[in-house]
Amino acid sequence: MEQQVLMITKSEDLVKLRALAKLCSVEFFNYLSLLVLAWRRILEVLVLAMPPVVDEKKARGGKKQKKKKKKADSKKLEILDARAALAEGCSFVGDFDDARRYYKRAKERYEEQLGPDDAKTLDITHCLIMVTGMKSATSERLIDLLERMERALGEENVLTLETLNLLGGMLKNNGEYEEVIKVYERCLAGQMKVLGEDHKDTRASLNNLGVVYTMLENYEKGLEYFERALKGSERMLGKAHPITPSAVLNIANVYSGQGGLGKAEEFNERALEGYEAQLGKDHKYTRGCAENFMRCLLASGNDEERLEELEIAYLWLTSKRIKC
């Protein structure tokens, strides 16, 4: 079976290659390294099948003609779509250098074929920013992209909302918290309407707002958003999912920040139980949560027995306690 699959990745049969890419995608079996091989081969086959480039000036006998608006070349667009899919596959496997290279080439060619405000051009621009990193972008560049998306795709398009979320992240890194809240609230309103409260993107926006309000020591608002994110996680993923304890821990940190140590202990312990059950005692999230819980118990200073039980369960905490 393995040999047959590898033979497909070396064939020129686009039907089989596309079928293989679909089966290997995130939506199906998630064989990402094989997905990259399949799209790389699809791109090679499409490029080899392209007719040779004709020098238009020579073909016209050197005569000048009025420039006509070119229609998008369907074969070139097929190649660009394959290049974009390959870029996405490279980003999935962590090959960000190749992802950037393919996204950049695809963006340039989409602009030539479809124009800067086409949905595909805007999508690929967004993806390029994501793999290049926020350091390469500026708020002006993101605002320009966002405005073009709003005109071309609409304010409530999922891609527009994702870009709005990116802008919020950039403003947060710049310390522009008042603007951040406006952007995240706007993003959340759109996601609530389009995706619903339990969608992962909506939960991420709820979490983002919880973080910003907690940073500003508005613990009541921070708690409100974190609790909504937790309820969404429990409804969609269940209490046993590894993401859910993270939402629980966020609430613990809010209570700890406002001095509600009793509640902080309760939610820390609940998060620790979730991490331990799902990820094991040695996972970095479990260890970080255990240390957080220890600090919380030390701060309260009235539960030595519970602290000793924690240190027995996590022996390495003893050295951490000495440092505290």
Side-chain angles (χ1 to χ4, degrees):
M1 182 66 178
E2 187 178 336
Q3 287 298 320
Q4 289 176 320
V5 170
L6 289 173
M7 282 177 67
I8 293 173
T9 62
K10 295 175 183 177
S11 78
E12 295 182 6
D13 189 329
L14 285 171
V15 174
K16 287 182 180 178
L17 284 165
R18 290 183 191 280
L20 177 63
K22 189 172 183 178
L23 285 172
C24 295
S25 67
V26 175
E27 290 81 6
F28 286 87
F29 294 106
N30 204 30
Y31 296 145
L32 299 180
S33 57
L34 197 54
L35 174 72
V36 171
L37 278 177
W39 277 115
R40 203 179 290 278
R41 183 56 181 161
I42 289 168
L43 182 59
E44 288 172 357
V45 172
L46 289 171
V47 170
L48 287 170
M50 276 291 288
V53 178
V54 177
D55 188 324
E56 293 182 9
K57 193 173 180 181
K58 284 184 180 179
R60 295 193 302 266
K63 294 179 181 179
K64 287 186 178 181
Q65 288 185 359
K66 289 182 180 180
K67 286 187 178 180
K68 294 181 181 179
K69 189 177 180 181
K70 289 183 179 179
K71 288 184 179 179
D73 187 318
S74 60
K75 291 186 181 296
K76 287 182 179 179
L77 286 178
E78 194 177 11
I79 289 173
L80 291 178
D81 291 344
R83 186 170 279 123
L86 176 55
E88 183 181 46
C90 290
S91 70
F92 285 155
V93 298
D95 185 356
F96 296 113
D97 287 339
D98 267 1
R100 281 189 286 270
R101 184 162 60 88
Y102 288 120
Y103 274 138
K104 188 177 179 183
R105 182 79 180 275
K107 175 183 175 291
E108 290 167 353
R109 297 295 180 263
Y110 273 133
E111 285 176 346
E112 288 176 8
Q113 291 291 314
L114 301 171
D117 294 333
D118 184 84
K120 286 188 177 182
T121 310
L122 295 169
D123 186 9
I124 217 79
T125 304
H126 172 90
C127 292
L128 182 58
I129 290 172
M130 291 293 287
V131 298
T132 305
M134 294 303 292
K135 288 180 181 178
S136 67
T138 62
S139 55
E140 290 78 13
R141 183 183 171 193
L142 272 179
I143 289 168
D144 173 67
L145 176 61
L146 183 61
E147 287 173 349
R148 288 192 285 133
M149 283 180 167
E150 287 172 345
R151 287 194 300 269
L153 309 175
E155 291 184 4
E156 292 173 355
N157 179 274
V158 172
L159 190 59
T160 306
L161 294 171
E162 285 179 8
T163 305
L164 190 60
N165 185 59
L166 276 181
L167 177 60
M170 172 170 285
L171 294 170
K172 180 184 160 210
N173 291 341
N174 294 342
E176 300 175 51
Y177 297 120
E178 287 186 13
E179 288 301 313
V180 171
I181 289 171
K182 290 177 187 175
V183 168
Y184 279 154
E185 287 281 13
R186 186 176 150 204
C187 183
L188 177 62
Q191 289 167 333
M192 288 285 289
K193 190 173 180 180
V194 177
L195 305 171
E197 182 149 353
D198 294 344
H199 191 277
K200 63 180 179 65
D201 290 350
T202 312
R203 298 197 314 269
S205 288
L206 288 167
N207 187 71
N208 288 338
L209 280 161
V211 168
V212 175
Y213 276 116
T214 302
M215 288 172 69
L216 295 172
E217 298 185 359
N218 188 338
Y219 297 116
E220 186 178 344
K221 291 290 283 184
L223 192 59
E224 175 193 331
Y225 285 109
F226 281 142
E227 284 177 342
R228 285 174 63 185
L230 173 59
K231 286 175 183 175
S233 292
E234 288 179 339
R235 282 193 295 264
M236 289 301 293
L237 307 171
K239 293 183 179 181
H241 194 280
I243 287 176
T244 306
S246 298
V248 175
L249 189 58
N250 286 334
I251 294 173
N253 290 335
V254 174
Y255 280 121
S256 183
Q258 65 181 170
L261 296 177
K263 279 286 189 181
E265 286 178 24
E266 177 191 332
F267 279 90
N268 262 299
E269 187 168 24
R270 184 173 152 193
L272 182 58
E273 287 170 357
Y275 278 135
E276 188 177 322
Q278 295 305 310
L279 304 173
K281 284 187 175 183
D282 293 328
H283 194 277
K284 63 179 181 179
Y285 289 168
T286 312
R287 291 170 70 91
C289 187
E291 186 174 343
N292 205 54
F293 188 25
M294 179 195 70
R295 292 179 186 280
C296 189
L297 290 171
L298 286 171
S300 67
N302 57 6
D303 209 334
E304 189 64 30
E305 184 179 340
R306 213 165 169 198
L307 190 56
E308 287 175 5
E309 288 174 359
L310 184 66
E311 287 183 329
I312 290 168
Y314 297 90
L315 294 173
W316 52 271
L317 277 175
T318 304
S319 60
K320 294 280 184 182
R321 183 181 180 181
I322 292 167
K323 289 178 182 178
C324 289

